[in-house]
Amino acid sequence: NAGVTQTPKFQVLKTGQSMTLQCAQDMNHEYMSWYRQDPGMGLRLIHYSVGAGITDQGEVPNGYNVSRSTTEDFPLRLLSAAPSQTSVYFCASSNGWDLTLGYEQYFGPGTRLTVT
Amino acid sequence: TQLLEQSPQFLSIQEGENLTVYCNSSSVFSSLQWYRQEPGEGPVLLVTVVTGGEVKKLKRLTFQFGDARKDSSLHITAAQPGDTGLYLCAGAGSSGYALNFGKGTSLLVTP
């Protein structure tokens, strides 16, 4: 059981390039989300999905696109990379609301992205 | 965005000491979670508190949710070097799934 996997682990992009960060989960979770973590800023929600075909914006969605064609996968696309998008990106999944666990989220190991 | 303020931002203590980390907001949360994150890894869920006034214990860690569901605390008794890490609180608001995270408390426990 791999849980939440993310690829690549590290990536360097030049300004203006595009790329897709991959996220997959094998727990059959309906809920998935993308966060970015910057020093001193905590984790900020970029986009999230409550099921295949359904996505919504989080706190910092500009410059990022997502789609959810399957339950397992939730890729994050950077359309035209900017230095401000240098960050660590985490994908997370959840089985939804539980009376005692709330929205228990399982996080992937992260992708460290540098945009030069 | 419902803001969560964590304090202190940094904490360096000796093994065996007790400590408390706070997570405060002016907003009401349907649930609040505490995570611990180690360098180079994703956050790992420690506990979720759902009911106002709720207290949960996880070995030497005690978590409390405020009566008004606006704040929470994490108390560690007899800290050990293995407790070192970044502690994050996260709240689920009225919109449901979307979590708002605090900026974290970086804890260092030295032998």
Side-chain angles (χ1 to χ4, degrees):
Chain A
N1 192 340
V4 179
T5 58
Q6 291 184 239
T7 55
K9 196 162 180 62
F10 300 94
Q11 182 70 50
V12 179
L13 289 178
K14 293 186 186 303
T15 297
Q17 287 184 317
S18 63
M19 79 157 296
T20 299
L21 307 185
Q22 301 292 342
C23 174
Q25 52 92 9
D26 61 0
M27 297 173 281
N28 202 33
H29 285 171
E30 287 296 320
Y31 297 81
M32 297 186 73
S33 52
W34 276 101
Y35 296 86
R36 59 177 290 173
Q37 186 173 34
D38 303 294
M41 297 293 292
L43 278 86
R44 292 183 291 171
L45 183 65
I46 304 171
H47 286 285
Y48 65 99
S49 169
V50 298
I54 306 170
T55 63
D56 205 348
Q57 296 181 351
E59 181 186 353
V60 287
N62 293 339
Y64 307 95
N65 270 1
V66 292
S67 60
R68 184 95 180 272
S69 56
T70 67
T71 300
E72 294 78 21
D73 301 298
F74 191 42
L76 178 72
R77 281 181 284 278
L78 279 70
L79 307 173
S80 178
S84 61
Q85 293 178 304
T86 293
S87 187
V88 182
Y89 291 85
F90 288 100
C91 178
S93 73
S94 171
N95 201 26
W97 177 259
D98 180 277
L99 199 59
T100 57
L101 298 174
Y103 288 108
E104 183 177 21
Q105 294 205 50
Y106 295 85
F107 282 82
T111 293
R112 293 182 176 273
L113 176 68
T114 301
V115 182
T116 61
Chain B
T1 302
Q2 298 165 291
L3 295 176
L4 283 164
E5 300 285 343
Q6 283 190 243
S7 61
Q9 189 176 358
F10 300 99
L11 196 53
S12 180
I13 61 172
Q14 299 269 353
E15 182 176 3
E17 292 184 19
N18 302 331
L19 67 116
T20 302
V21 176
Y22 299 93
C23 178
N24 296 303
S25 176
S26 59
S27 302
V28 175
F29 290 96
S30 58
S31 67
L32 200 141
Q33 300 179 336
W34 286 92
Y35 291 81
R36 188 171 81 193
Q37 184 180 21
E38 300 194 15
E41 298 182 8
V44 175
L45 180 67
L46 295 174
V47 78
T48 299
V49 284
V50 178
T51 306
E54 183 177 6
V55 177
K56 282 190 174 179
K57 293 192 175 184
L58 185 66
K59 297 183 181 179
R60 295 176 292 101
L61 278 62
T62 302
F63 304 85
Q64 186 162 7
F65 202 12
D67 291 341
R69 306 208 316 274
K70 293 182 179 181
D71 55 85
S72 180
S73 64
L74 157 61
H75 182 79
I76 301 179
T77 303
Q80 299 177 0
D83 296 326
T84 293
L86 180 68
Y87 289 82
L88 297 156
C89 66
S94 57
S95 61
Y97 175 65
L99 285 181
N100 297 302
F101 278 82
K103 294 181 180 181
T105 293
S106 182
L107 172 65
L108 174 64
V109 183
T110 53

